[in-house]
């Protein structure tokens, strides 16, 4: 039974197998689909459920983020993403995600201070960076250094201590931006730039990336607002692959830094957070509006593994609300940095228009997702494509830590241990079956 009284039991589903009837409770969500509780099914019916990719499975009870994929709605703790993107800054959204409601002025001031004083990294972490090749993908450095934090901050590893959990959360959020900026500086062969605590989270990140020992980067309000909005839009997205990875890693009692490193790894894939880099690279490969048809045909072909990157979503079967916001920002940022008639933006908008009128994309309900326009903005700000997923990861530390905390505090949480639909050999006598194809 879930801990939340508002998820009241409304009715039961009946499952009939070989004349045996099993009653499965149904719980009402506050919004969105109800859930059938199958947790007792195996003990009663000796059956597992089978759901590759978890397309019909709610893995947990959560109060953090709500998505209505058909209507294109995204809310953090009940607040619409459009309103948060307009009225809040990233740290206010972090506070909202973690503590459940918007802070008042005093609380926010205090929280900003608490996060900001964790932006510095232990000096020895600098040595850690020297171990990477200069051409390493910055996400490789994010994964490695995030996990390594558990060796530097051993006073916040006790997951059963609420104070340590909060402190670890603040460290992860604050230090992820410093690690991301250091990964960038290391990859371009420049000296690391120390954080400045008088700047906002977004301004500081831009400063650490673009200032250098010879020149201070002047952070423009248009760019810092765009950066902040990108952080807000990527802060959480309920039980996606990386968040589920964080929860699963955490369910074994692993320390928070190790769990977040697992989330960073999962995010890296091109079907998830890696799609922002892949989307821009795809647009560059398409090169001209003349080639759109050819690439759309490739995306539609069953024989071709090519997919339109930045298009489609497991949950959104409508326009991703984050993509709508980013499309607007994209135009502002390009105008601000003096890029007139950007051919990549023109190509992206034309590609979107043609795809949205194409039978294949209409029937499969494939719309632009958050990754379609974010790369164009980040490139205009000055980031290379390899940094796009790093920026996503920095933002998502907010959601990962909020979801990890919720899981640890959930009295019914237990170690995540899915079962399987086994189709391998039955018991064999040793040596009776030898394969000729024993190498791949
Ligand atoms: N281009 C062409 N066809 C697509 C695309 C696409 N971008 N996305 C889905 N399809 C097709 C699939 O081939 C499938 O066709 P079928 O029914 O004939 O087999 C159908 O649409 C359904 O797609 P699935 O892959 O089953 O949907 P799923 O929910 O598993 O995948 C995903 C969603 C991974 C996002 C997919 O749409 C995709 O790969 N998109 C491109 C990568 C991308 O942009 N990822 C970012 C997602 S947002 C995020 O993580 C922040």
């Amino acid at each position: 039974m879930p801990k939340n009284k508002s998820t009241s039991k409304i009715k039961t589903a009946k499952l009939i197998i070989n004349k045996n009837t099993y009653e499965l409770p149904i719980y009402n969500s506050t919004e969105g689909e109800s859930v059938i509780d199958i947790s007792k099914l195996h003990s009663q019916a000796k059956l597992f459920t089978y759901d590759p990719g978890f397309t019909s499975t709610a893995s947990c009870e959560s109060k953090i983020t709500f998505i209505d994929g058909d209507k294109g709605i995204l809310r953090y703790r009940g607040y619409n993403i459009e309103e948060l993107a307009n009225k809040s800054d990233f740290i206010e959204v972090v506070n909202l995600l973690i503590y459940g409601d918007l802070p008042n002025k005093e609380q926010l001031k205090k929280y900003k201070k608490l996060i900001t004083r964790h932006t510095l990294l232990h000096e020895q972490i600098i040595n850690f960076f020297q171990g990477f090749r200069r051409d390493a993908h910055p996400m490789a450095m994010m994964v490695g250094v995030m996990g390594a934090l558990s060796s530097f901050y051993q006073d916040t590893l006790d997951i059963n201590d609420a104070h340590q959990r909060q402190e670890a959360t603040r460290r992860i959020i604050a230090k992820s931006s410093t690690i991301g900026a250091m990964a960038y500086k290391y990859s371009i062969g420049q000296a690391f730039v120390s954080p400045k605590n008088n700047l906002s989270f977004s301004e500081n990140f831009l400063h650490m990336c673009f200032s250098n020992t010879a020149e201070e980067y002047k952070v423009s309000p248009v760019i810092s607002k765009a950066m902040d909005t990108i952080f807000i839009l990527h802060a959480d997205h309920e039980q996606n692959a990386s968040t589920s990875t964080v929860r699963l890693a955490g369910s074994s009692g692993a320390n928070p830094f190790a769990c977040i490193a697992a989330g960073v790894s999962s995010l890296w894939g091109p079907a998830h957070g890696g799609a922002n880099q892949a989307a821009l690279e795809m647009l560059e490969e398409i090169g001209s509006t003349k080639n759109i048809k050819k690439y759309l045909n490739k995306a539609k072909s069953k024989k071709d593994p090519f997919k339109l990157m930045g298009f489609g979503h497991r949950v959104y079967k409508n326009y991703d609300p984050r993509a709508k916001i980013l499309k607007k920002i994209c135009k502002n940022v390009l105008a601000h940095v003096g890029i007139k008639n950007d051919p990549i933006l023109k190509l992206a908008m034309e590609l979107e228009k043609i795809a949205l009128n194409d039978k294949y994309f209409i029937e499969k309900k494939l719309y632009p997702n958050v990754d379609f326009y974010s790369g164009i903005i980040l490139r205009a700000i000055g980031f290379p494509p390899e940094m796009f997923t790093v920026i996503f990861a920095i933002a998502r530390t907010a959601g990962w830590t909020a979801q990890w905390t919720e899981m640890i505090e959930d009295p019914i949480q237990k170690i995540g241990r899915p079962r399987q639909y086994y189709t391998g050999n039955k018991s064999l006598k040793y040596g009776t079956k030898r394969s000729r194809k024993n190498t791949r």
Side-chain angles (χ1 to χ4, degrees), residues 205-224:
F205 177 64
L206 291 162
H207 155 73
M208 288 190 291
C209 288
F210 298 129
S211 287
N212 61 49
T213 38
E215 219 172 289
E216 184 93 353
Y217 174 78
K218 282 205 176 67
V219 186
S220 103
V222 175
I223 300 300
S224 72

Side-chain angles (χ1 to χ4, degrees), residues 180-358:
M182 285 170 86
Y184 173 57
K185 285 298 197 192
Y186 188 75
S187 67
I188 58 169
Q190 284 188 7
F192 299 132
V193 174
S194 294
K196 268 192 174 177
N197 286 354
N198 61 332
L199 298 177
S200 74
F201 188 90
S202 302
E203 289 167 343
N204 181 46
F205 177 64
L206 291 162
H207 155 73
M208 288 190 291
C209 288
F210 298 129
S211 287
N212 61 49
T213 38
E215 219 172 289
E216 184 93 353
Y217 174 78
K218 282 205 176 67
V219 186
S220 103
V222 175
I223 300 300
S224 72
K225 174 68 189 153
M227 195 71 243
D228 213 63
T229 309
I230 287 178
F231 283 141
I232 290 172
L233 299 182
H234 289 83
D236 195 44
H237 213 229
E238 54 119 309
Q239 310 311 319
N240 53 79
S242 58
T243 302
S244 300
T245 303
V246 169
R247 279 186 178 256
L248 196 56
S251 76
S252 72
N255 77 66
F257 304 101
C259 296
I260 302 304
V264 178
S265 308
S266 171
L267 186 77
W268 194 356
H272 192 9
N276 48 18
Q277 175 177 348
L280 189 74
E281 286 168 353
M282 175 197 74
L283 290 169
E284 279 166 353
E285 188 187 317
I286 297 174
S288 151
T289 48
K290 279 188 287 187
N291 299 326
I292 290 178
K293 247 200 164 137
K294 179 177 134 202
Y295 279 88
L296 279 188
N297 287 338
K298 272 165 74 65
K300 292 189 278 183
S301 164
K302 278 260 176 236
K303 289 184 199 136
D304 195 324
F306 176 82
K307 279 194 175 174
L308 213 53
M309 301 313 285
F311 252 77
H313 198 274
R314 170 62 59 80
V315 184
Y316 293 117
K317 301 301 166 198
N318 200 327
Y319 215 110
D320 180 337
R322 302 167 300 174
K324 260 188 206 161
I325 299 169
L326 287 178
K327 194 174 172 181
K328 272 192 212 149
I329 292 182
C330 195
K331 291 179 184 165
N332 292 347
V333 168
L334 292 183
H336 179 76
V337 299
I339 301 177
K340 282 188 197 138
N341 306 320
D342 180 30
I344 291 288
L345 177 62
K346 196 175 150 217
L347 175 62
M349 286 169 56
E350 191 61 19
L351 178 61
E352 176 193 325
K353 200 167 104 193
I354 297 176
L356 292 184
N357 285 301
D358 187 289

Side-chain angles (χ1 to χ4, degrees), residues 406-422:
E406 185 180 65
M407 181 204 62
I408 299 289
E409 290 174 359
D410 184 346
I412 66 157
Q413 97 82 20
K414 46 174 100 173
I415 185 166
R417 179 40 171 110
R419 303 306 298 263
Q420 63 176 357
Y421 163 39
Y422 179 69

